[in-house]
């Protein structure tokens, strides 16, 4: 009887221990979920609050902006800031927008084409200095723009390209090319060489393999790379402020900064211009989100 009582007691203690363990696991699970939702909420608050204030300010009348206790909720809604922005004779918003769009698009396209050829050579061709060049690309990618602005200005000045859009195309391509190369060669290394060997047996040249085999297989990472290069060129401020002088050639970041410096009490119009400046990037990222996710994770697992 004593043995039966001992076994029964041990079984009860074991059952109690399992129950307590399950309760602890459930409690830990709830705490993890709570921590996750709190972190997510804080991240969204910090990320989206500036955009919310920017948009609310852009649709508020001036007498609701310049008050001692501004409200986070719009007291009145108006599109006057946008109509003044597009109708202004002293602030050429449309011209600045088109300048940024053209320069950023061409820069991203150039950077992508050069990056595809360069990244392919890094991963498939053997030549002296390959490893050193690859490491040099990573080092250049880590450099701040301020460290190269003087050498680039001397080069642009020697070429006679100051105050031209071509100066921006050159400098923006130089700025975005390290990122483009880095993203592409990591993906190209994951593509099986057997595919290219089969193409060679069919008589394809290296150039044909790049544009008829590698490029179609790399569409997600190409889209992601183009978007990142476009975003860098679209938001660039330093090189444009140094190389451009004419009002007609200014890009949006320089135009908005000059509006802030030359006019007073135009925060509504500045916020409207800033909101419109962010729209192309947001629309492109939302529309091409699928390619972005695939492109950023492409090459992470080989096989």
């Amino acid at each position: 009887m004593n043995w039966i009582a001992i076994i029964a007691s041990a079984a009860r203690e074991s059952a109690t221990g399992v129950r307590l363990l399950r309760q602890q696991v459930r409690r830990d699970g709830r705490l993890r979920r709570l921590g996750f939702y709190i972190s997510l909420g804080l991240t969204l608050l910090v990320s989206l609050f500036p955009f919310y204030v920017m948009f609310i300010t852009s649709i508020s009348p001036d007498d609701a902006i310049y008050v001692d206790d501004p409200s986070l909720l719009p007291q009145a809604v108006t599109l006057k800031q946008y109509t003044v922005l597009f109708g202004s004779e002293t602030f050429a918003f449309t011209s600045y927008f088109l300048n940024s769009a053209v320069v950023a698009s061409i820069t991203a396209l150039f950077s992508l084409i050069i990056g595809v050829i360069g990244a392919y050579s890094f991963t498939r061709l053997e030549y002296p200095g390959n490893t050193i060049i690859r490491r040099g690309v990573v080092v250049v990618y880590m450099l701040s723009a301020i460290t190269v602005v003087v050498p680039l200005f001397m080069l642009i000045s020697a070429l006679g390209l100051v105050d031209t859009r071509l100066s921006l195309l050159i400098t923006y391509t130089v700025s975005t090319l390290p990122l483009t190369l880095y993203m592409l060669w990591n993906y190209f290394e994951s593509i099986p060489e057997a595919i290219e060997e089969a193409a060679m047996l069919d008589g394809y040249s290296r150039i044909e393999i790049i544009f008829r085999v590698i490029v179609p297989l790399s569409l997600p990472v190409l889209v992601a790379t183009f978007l990142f290069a476009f975003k860098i060129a679209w938001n660039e401020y330093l090189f444009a402020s140094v190389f451009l002088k004419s009002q007609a050639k200014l890009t949006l970041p320089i135009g908005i900064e000059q509006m802030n410096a030359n006019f007073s009490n135009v925060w509504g119009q500045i916020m409207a211009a800033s909101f419109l400046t962010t729209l192309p990037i947001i629309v492109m990222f939302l529309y091409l989100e699928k390619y972005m996710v695939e492109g950023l994770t492409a090459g992470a697992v080989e096989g």
Side-chain angles (χ1 to χ4, degrees), residues 258-269:
Q258 287 200 357
M259 183 168 63
N260 180 40
N262 298 334
F263 302 97
S264 59
N265 297 332
V266 291
W267 280 108
Q269 296 164 37

Side-chain angles (χ1 to χ4, degrees), residues 28-269:
D28 291 346
R30 286 195 291 270
L31 288 175
R32 281 197 294 271
R33 284 197 296 274
L34 179 61
F36 169 76
Y37 288 124
I38 291 175
S39 301
L40 180 62
L42 290 175
T43 302
L44 291 176
L45 177 64
V46 173
S47 303
L48 299 181
F49 185 71
F51 292 98
Y52 174 75
V53 173
M54 180 174 62
F55 177 68
I56 292 301
T57 305
S58 72
I59 60 173
S60 299
D62 288 338
D63 55 359
I65 298 174
Y66 304 107
V67 295
D68 293 333
D69 54 343
S71 174
L72 289 177
L73 298 177
Q75 304 301 312
V77 176
T78 178
L79 295 179
K80 179 183 176 182
Q81 310 295 355
Y82 290 91
T83 56
V84 172
L85 186 67
F86 283 103
S88 174
E89 297 180 356
T90 56
F91 182 73
F93 175 80
T94 305
S95 176
Y96 300 156
F97 191 96
L98 292 176
N99 288 340
S100 288
V102 170
V103 171
S105 300
I106 296 178
T107 296
L109 185 61
F110 278 171
S111 183
L112 190 63
I113 294 173
I114 299 173
V116 166
I117 298 174
Y120 181 83
S121 72
F122 286 163
T123 55
R124 292 293 189 265
L125 303 181
E126 295 183 1
Y127 49 85
N130 185 319
T131 304
I132 295 177
I133 295 175
R134 292 174 64 161
R135 291 175 180 174
V137 169
V138 177
V139 171
V140 171
Y141 177 54
M142 298 299 175
L143 292 178
S144 171
I146 193 66
T147 61
V148 297
V149 66
V150 173
L152 284 175
F153 180 78
M154 294 175 64
L155 174 63
I156 295 299
S157 179
L159 295 174
L161 298 176
V162 175
D163 198 25
T164 64
R165 295 183 182 89
L166 183 57
S167 65
L168 295 187
L169 293 176
I170 295 173
T171 52
Y172 288 1
T173 303
V174 171
S175 303
T176 56
L177 192 56
L179 173 66
T180 304
L181 288 169
Y182 183 75
M183 291 184 67
L184 292 178
W185 94 51
N186 278 288
Y187 177 76
F188 290 169
E189 286 181 343
S190 67
I191 298 178
E193 294 187 37
I195 297 176
E196 299 174 44
E197 293 171 356
M200 288 181 180
L201 291 176
D202 290 338
Y204 283 21
S205 65
R206 282 287 184 185
I207 295 298
E208 288 176 322
I209 289 175
I210 291 175
F211 291 102
R212 298 181 65 178
V213 178
I214 299 298
V215 169
L217 291 174
S218 310
L219 184 59
V221 75
L222 293 178
V223 173
T225 304
F226 179 89
L227 287 181
F228 274 105
F230 182 90
K231 187 181 77 68
I232 293 173
W234 179 265
N235 294 324
E236 203 284 329
Y237 173 85
L238 180 60
F239 293 135
S241 66
V242 173
F243 296 143
L244 297 181
K245 306 298 180 186
S246 304
Q247 288 288 326
K249 299 174 184 174
L250 295 183
T251 55
L252 270 175
I254 308 301
I256 294 174
E257 191 276 334
Q258 287 200 357
M259 183 168 63
N260 180 40
N262 298 334
F263 302 97
S264 59
N265 297 332
V266 291
W267 280 108
Q269 296 164 37

